[in-house]
Every structure is written in C-alpha cells, then in structure tokens.
Amino acid sequence: MNTCDLVVIGGGIVGLTIAREWLLRYPKSDVVVLEKERNSLAHGSGRNSGVVHSGIYYPEGSLRAQLCVSGCQLMRKYVTEQGLWIDRCGKLLVPPSESAFESMQILVDRGRANGVEIHQLTGKEALELEPRINPQFDRALFVPITSVVDPREVVDRIKKDVIKAGGVIRYNTAAGSIDSQCGIVQTSVGTFESAKIVNAAGLFADKIAKRAGLKTRYSFQPFKGKYWKHKNIHFKMRRLVYPVPDLDLPFLGVHTAHNSNGEVYFGPSSTPVIGRENYQGLQGISWLDGLSLSASLVKKFFQNTNGLRTLAIREMKLVRLKGVCNELSKIVSGVGPDDLERSLAKVGIRSQMFDQNGQHLVNDFVVVQDDKTIHILNAISPAFTASFAFARYVLDQQK
Ligand SMILES: Cc1cc2nc3c(=O)[nH]c(=O)nc-3n(C[C@H](O)[C@H](O)[C@H](O)COP(=O)(O)OP(=O)(O)OC[C@H]3O[C@@H](n4cnc5c(N)ncnc54)[C@H](O)[C@@H]3O)c2cc1C
C-alpha cells in the first residue's frame, strides 16, 4: 500500500496543474499523479488548437467565464515567465451568415460583462488586421488578448514543475476501482491510500466517478475534432479567425489555427462519435461502451435533442474537402480544396457530458465533491486555457 496526501487520476493539463498547485500550497506533501498512458499528451491536452481563449463566449457568472478570464491571464504570465512560445495575435470573429448578428451582440455584451476587451469593426478595419478574412457582411469583432501557445510545450513544462516540486507522476498506471470513503485507489501497479483524490481523467472522468459510487444526471457524449492542414508552408495568417458561433452549442466552429512551426490548420470539426479515444478508423472503440453510446446517439439524432441532428447534418458536409472549403469561405477567402490535406496526427475528442434531466449538452465545467474525491466532469474547451485558475478553484473548494 502506497500512502500519500493527494492522488490525482489523469496526467493531462488539468491533473498536472492541480498537482502543481497543491505542491505550491503544501510543499512537503506526497503527491502522486496516475496516468494510464506513457505521457501526458495522448489525449485532449496534446491534441488541441493551443488557443488561449479570452472568455467572451461564456455567460457572466458561469464557471467557464470566471476560470477562462483568470486562466487566460495566468497562462499568458506562465508562458512568458518560462520563455515558452506564444503568439499574441488576437482573434477576429466573422459572422458566417446574417443570422449570426444577434450572437455577435451577445458576445460583445458577454465580453464586456466578463471584463474582456472587445472591438466591433467594419469589414475594412478587419481586413487591415488580417487581409485573408472574408468580411462578407462588412462587420467583425476583434479580441486582442486571444493568443496561441504550443500546448505540448506548456504541458511538458508543467510536468517538470510537478516533478521538481517533489510530485511523482506514474505513467503507464491506470486507476481501477476507487473507495472514495476510505480514499483508496486500486491501480495496475498496486494500491494507493490518500487523504484526497482528484478525478481529472478527461474522457474517462464519468467512468471513474461511477466506479467511485457517484450518481449524477450526466451521461457521456464524445465529439471528434478533425483538422485540415494548409499544404503551403508559406501561407500565413496574422490573426486567428473564427466564425461567430451558434451559442446554443458548446463548439466554436471551424476556425484557423497556427503553430510555432508556421503551419496553418483549419478545424476542428464536431462530429459525434461512439468511442472515447476513437481518433482513427475503429481504433479506441470499446464495444460495450460503443453500443451504449450508439444507442443514446441514435435516440438524440431522431429526437433532434439540443439540435444534435442539425449539427450532425452540418458535420456530414465536412466529410469532403469541398464542404470544408465552403464552410471556411464564409470567414476566410482564397482557400480551395487543392490547398488542404486532412491532418491524421491532429485530431482530438472532447470530454463532453450530456444532461439527462435537461436533455442538453452540458455547457459549463462541472466539479463535484463526494467523500474524499473531487470529480472534474465536462473538462471541455477552454479547460486548457483555464487550467491554472481551474486548479486554484478546485483546491479552494475542498472540504
Ligand atoms: C479538438 C480540440 C481542440 C481544443 N482546443 C482548445 C483550445 O484551443 N484552447 C483551450 O483552452 N482548450 C481547447 N480544447 C480543450 C482542451 O484541450 C481540454 O479541455 C483539456 O486538454 C482537458 O484536459 P484534461 O487534463 O482534462 O484532459 P486530458 O488531456 O484528456 O487528460 C486526462 C488524462 O486522464 C488519463 N486517464 C483516463 N483514464 C485514466 C485512468 N483510469 N487512470 C489513469 N489515467 C487515466 C488519460 O490518459 C489522459 O491523459 C480543445 C479540445 C479538443 C478536443
């Protein structure tokens, strides 16, 4: 039996920042992070757009608004202090249709309520900031604080912080059953007894919670995000360009994303899938889990719950490169099917929960404390941006 003060299940950015924050608060304590993969980048934390979001999307008072706004500041500070790559490029939001005008106003109001600088621009002003956009309705929004970082570099540095502060990260170690009352976690390499357990298992957080005996109104509905890469390395974007999104859904729409190598990507899609780690083909589908996810997906599709049928039909258009370019042409000009290729390496899956009582996709982070365990459910975007603030919040909550 290994005895410690804190066991974190999941060594992605959420688990690692919590371990780091705990060690900052209690420097002499024993902290163990259990991670089933051989590194911290196998899932969401290594497969995202690396965008440090501002917080304009989320309603005032929501956990996402609060933690994104403060997390954005903390992430920018951390990356700057550590000398890591950051592009302080800002973000343009372009309405893909006239029906997005109402959402634009909501974003302006939300941004201001959340204390985020946001500008309403004419098409000409927006083109001066990014000549490649298509301001077809002569209007756009600009959020200067949004930036891009290298998520893999950031996660790697946080991992080093944890180890330097005395934390132990056990890779290739999967958490199995949990006794939350006694603080016991069984793993593939032995048993851990801990005063506190944090479940930060991302795509498996709901499963871990269930094993720990937590009853919730949430079920799991994973969504895959595919990206397309611009083949020409000399194709550059000065700013991030996003569509004004459908605010009823927790997805931001197909947007531009660039990285420290100067590569430009477009994505991600938001396709409902039946495997939690189904990045390619039939990989990552557990048949029992897959059957239950399929049954619930079919039901949601036919009932068009929360607009999921509409979303699925929209996503089907992205199967062909022409469809991707049609979608992109609403916000960016001059990108055709010959310019793009599917990126097989850059594909992620969102840890999205579905509220069975309200029959809708859960639109906020969910943190539930039960006995000795704190469960982090629905660590969807912008959990990467929010991670440092999220860690403080989670530890402030503990009873
Ligand atoms: C396509 C896409 C694009 C995104 N873009 C952005 C963005 O630009 N900006 C932003 O802020 N956010 C973005 N996000 C969201 C962000 O990536 C995630 O919210 C964040 O990475 C979640 O981190 P995590 O640590 O909870 O999850 P993960 O990185 O998935 O970590 C959870 C870890 O738990 C481990 N685990 C699971 N089960 C067990 C077990 N039984 N025992 C031990 N370990 C276990 C897993 O192996 C995994 O490594 C994006 C997400 C996706 C999918």
Side-chain angles (χ1 to χ4, degrees):
M1 174 88 78
N2 304 278
T3 310
C4 39
D5 301 300
L6 172 71
V7 164
V8 179
I9 303 170
I13 194 160
V14 173
L16 288 176
T17 43
I18 289 171
R20 179 181 177 275
E21 180 66 25
W22 181 287
L23 286 159
L24 285 173
R25 292 184 186 196
Y26 316 108
K28 290 200 166 62
S29 57
D30 290 319
V31 172
V32 177
V33 178
L34 306 172
E35 170 53 60
K36 71 179 171 69
E37 306 289 349
R38 61 193 163 92
N39 62 47
S40 289
L41 301 166
H43 303 294
S45 302
R47 294 169 170 274
N48 59 62
S49 305
V51 174
V52 182
H53 289 290
S54 62
I56 56 160
Y57 293 111
Y58 320 113
E60 188 187 5
S62 64
L63 212 44
R64 285 213 286 177
Q66 188 189 322
L67 300 182
C68 184
V69 171
S70 50
C72 171
Q73 303 286 355
L74 293 172
M75 179 64 80
R76 285 166 61 98
K77 184 166 177 278
Y78 181 78
V79 168
T80 307
E81 282 172 0
Q82 298 285 323
L84 307 181
W85 180 78
I86 179 164
D87 184 1
R88 296 178 180 81
C89 52
K91 177 202 282 195
L92 283 160
L93 290 110
V94 180
S97 67
E98 284 186 15
S99 61
F101 291 173
E102 199 184 325
S103 297
M104 272 180 106
Q105 189 53 50
I106 296 174
L107 289 180
V108 171
D109 295 343
R110 282 185 184 173
R112 292 192 177 143
N114 294 336
V116 182
E117 185 183 337
I118 181 164
H119 302 273
Q120 290 169 284
L121 306 182
T122 60
K124 187 166 171 274
E125 288 167 330
L127 277 166
E128 274 163 24
L129 290 175
E130 172 51 73
R132 294 194 188 276
I133 70 158
N134 174 18
Q136 51 176 322
F137 300 105
D138 195 29
R139 57 180 89 181
L141 300 175
F142 183 57
V143 188
I145 200 168
T146 308
S147 335
V148 194
V149 297
D150 177 346
R152 301 172 81 87
E153 187 184 41
V154 172
V155 170
D156 195 54
R157 190 59 62 93
I158 298 168
K159 177 186 112 181
K160 286 184 180 140
D161 288 349
V162 171
I163 295 169
K164 201 167 160 202
V168 175
I169 308 176
R170 307 279 295 248
Y171 287 110
N172 298 310
T173 306
S177 63
I178 298 169
D179 181 336
S180 188
Q181 266 178 347
C182 301
I184 290 177
V185 183
Q186 308 282 354
T187 77
S188 42
V189 296
T191 304
F192 290 79
E193 184 180 15
S194 181
K196 188 62 78 190
I197 302 168
V198 173
N199 164 14
L203 294 161
F204 283 88
D206 64 315
K207 287 252 176 205
I208 299 275
K210 218 178 224 170
R211 275 187 226 151
L214 184 76
K215 290 194 172 48
T216 70
R217 60 180 194 275
Y218 307 115
S219 60
F220 193 67
Q221 178 52 67
F223 285 87
K224 190 189 280 192
K226 290 185 279 191
Y227 290 83
W228 295 266
K229 187 180 165 187
H230 202 290
K231 290 184 203 162
N232 183 354
I233 187 71
H234 301 297
F235 179 93
K236 300 280 176 238
M237 301 284 300
R238 274 196 227 156
R239 317 280 172 184
L240 288 160
V241 181
Y242 280 57
V244 173
D246 176 347
L247 294 174
D248 289 334
L249 292 170
F251 312 118
L252 303 183
V254 173
H255 56 80
T256 72
H258 55 270
N259 63 21
S260 53
N261 300 330
E263 295 160 332
V264 177
Y265 289 85
F266 303 96
S269 56
S270 313
T271 318
V273 283
I274 58 162
R276 290 167 191 259
E277 296 176 354
N278 174 223
Y279 300 112
Q280 271 181 51
L282 295 178
Q283 181 203 59
I285 299 180
S286 126
W287 290 110
L288 205 59
D289 200 27
L291 274 177
S292 113
L293 286 172
S294 318
S296 111
L297 194 57
V298 168
K299 194 169 152 211
K300 285 173 201 142
F301 183 85
F302 281 108
Q303 294 175 346
N304 199 16
T305 313
N306 201 193
L308 276 179
R309 184 168 63 222
T310 317
L311 175 77
I313 291 168
R314 201 175 75 193
E315 287 296 307
M316 276 176 213
K317 294 183 190 152
L318 302 181
V319 170
R320 295 175 58 222
L321 274 179
K322 199 163 170 262
V324 179
C325 292
N326 278 346
E327 200 60 26
L328 272 176
S329 67
K330 296 173 190 166
I331 58 165
V332 174
S333 14
V335 180
D338 291 343
D339 300 320
L340 301 185
E341 62 191 4
R342 247 300 301 284
S343 166
L344 293 178
K346 201 167 162 68
V347 44
I349 298 186
R350 301 165 177 87
S351 316
Q352 180 67 53
M353 298 290 160
F354 181 79
D355 185 327
Q356 287 175 307
N357 291 357
Q359 290 290 297
H360 58 80
L361 297 174
V362 179
N363 234 329
D364 206 355
F365 300 141
V366 177
V367 179
V368 186
Q369 187 156 179
D370 190 35
D371 296 318
K372 291 186 173 173
T373 311
I374 302 175
H375 301 277
I376 299 167
L377 308 172
N378 214 44
I380 50 171
S381 182
F384 178 84
T385 303
S387 52
F388 289 105
F390 210 151
R392 291 183 181 179
Y393 173 83
V394 167
L395 297 190
D396 287 347
Q397 297 301 302
Q398 57 166 325
K399 293 173 195 149

